[in-house]
Amino acid sequence: MKKKLKVGIAGYGVVGKKRRAFIDANLNFVTVAVSDVNFEKDHTASDGVRCFNSYKKIIKEDLDVLFVCLPNYLAPEATI
């Protein structure tokens, strides 16, 4: 059985949620964590996905892939 790649999404607004739909439809990926400044606190969603209120926290997760869906003013810092 092929191992699924663990995916995180930094920025879970309109773009992040659209990307997640495609990520979850791909049999090679599993979404394990998302981050967004609009989360009041860190938590685990009912589907088991870990949710963080800062992209700096998601970067510390054990991920294979990180989709950066942050606004332009944050994306360079998060990517670097």
Side-chain angles (χ1 to χ4, degrees), residues 3 6-7 32 50 58-65:
K3 176 187 165 204
K6 296 178 284 186
V7 176
V32 298
R50 293 181 302 281
I58 199 171
I59 290 173
K60 296 176 183 177
E61 289 292 292
D62 179 26
L63 302 172
D64 297 308
V65 179

Side-chain angles (χ1 to χ4, degrees), residues 30-76:
V30 59
T31 302
V32 298
V34 297
S35 69
D36 196 89
V37 296
N38 292 314
F39 292 140
E40 288 185 30
K41 61 180 182 174
D42 298 346
H43 64 281
T44 301
S46 60
D47 60 0
V49 173
R50 293 181 302 281
C51 301
F52 301 98
N53 59 11
S54 170
Y55 75 86
K56 293 178 181 182
K57 295 176 185 176
I58 199 171
I59 290 173
K60 296 176 183 177
E61 289 292 292
D62 179 26
L63 302 172
D64 297 308
V65 179
L66 178 64
F67 284 86
V68 178
C69 304
L70 297 167
N72 289 340
Y73 74 95
L74 286 175

